[in-house]
Amino acid sequence: MDAVTYPDKSVVTFVNEHIVPVRVNISSEPLPEQFNVQWTPTLVLLDEDGKEHHRTVGWLSPEDLIASLLLGIGQAHIDRGDLSAAGPVLQRVVSEYPDSDAAPEALYLDGVVRYKQTDDIHVMNETLGQLRAKYPSSEWTKRASVYEAA
């Protein structure tokens, strides 16, 4: 990712605005062992307390990296109970990076966020419909299929 993804202007801008990057050599200790890093590149999204909220392993294009990092930021908001902050971040993944691997999960999680905010199970049925329309083969569509009867 050093040759293509990291130097990309959109990645540099995104990281500078949203992430505090720390690069650790995989052979150094104790961080690779502490965070179970077995392969490079591995990106672990942590909060200020060192709690992991998201990780990616392997090469990603600039667009897929930004989408994955946004998904991780959205997940961190969910994990911390800040649903009002999570929704817009997850919606950004779906709207700006609809072809990314992160988009189906972001759509699913956005449905979960809206369900938790409204306590209306029909939101998940609507989310299932959107997943079927946009990402019929996604594992997230399969996971949402439990809400078909809702």
Side-chain angles (χ1 to χ4, degrees):
M1 294 203 331
D2 286 338
V4 175
T5 303
Y6 295 146
D8 182 271
K9 184 177 180 178
S10 62
V11 171
V12 170
T13 300
F14 182 86
V15 168
N16 285 337
E17 291 176 359
H18 301 284
I19 305 289
V20 177
V22 176
R23 189 173 193 156
V24 177
N25 187 311
I26 194 165
S27 63
S28 65
E29 292 298 330
L31 293 178
E33 184 176 319
Q34 179 181 347
F35 292 104
N36 194 29
V37 175
Q38 303 293 320
W39 190 259
T40 61
T42 297
L43 297 140
V44 181
L45 188 66
L46 309 169
D47 64 19
E48 63 273 7
D49 297 322
K51 180 181 178 197
E52 180 176 336
H53 294 280
H54 183 74
R55 83 172 37 216
T56 61
V57 178
W59 183 85
L60 296 172
S61 70
E63 296 79 19
D64 282 331
L65 176 61
I66 292 171
S68 179
L69 292 172
L70 281 168
L71 177 63
I73 291 168
Q75 184 65 59
H77 288 309
I78 292 170
D79 292 348
R80 298 170 132 210
D82 190 356
L83 301 181
S84 62
V89 175
L90 297 168
Q91 292 162 14
R92 182 175 170 195
V93 175
V94 175
S95 66
E96 293 181 26
Y97 304 96
D99 297 327
S100 70
D101 288 340
E105 184 176 359
L107 180 56
Y108 176 88
L109 290 175
D110 183 53
V112 170
V113 165
R114 290 184 296 118
Y115 165 66
K116 287 183 173 186
Q117 289 173 319
T118 64
D119 203 29
D120 181 359
I121 194 64
H122 293 97
V123 169
M124 290 308 297
N125 191 269
E126 293 168 9
T127 300
L128 172 59
Q130 293 172 346
L131 283 162
R132 282 190 171 145
K134 295 180 181 180
Y135 310 105
S137 300
S138 169
E139 70 177 280
W140 296 99
T141 303
K142 293 174 190 167
R143 291 181 188 199
S145 67
V146 70
Y147 300 105
E148 187 157 28

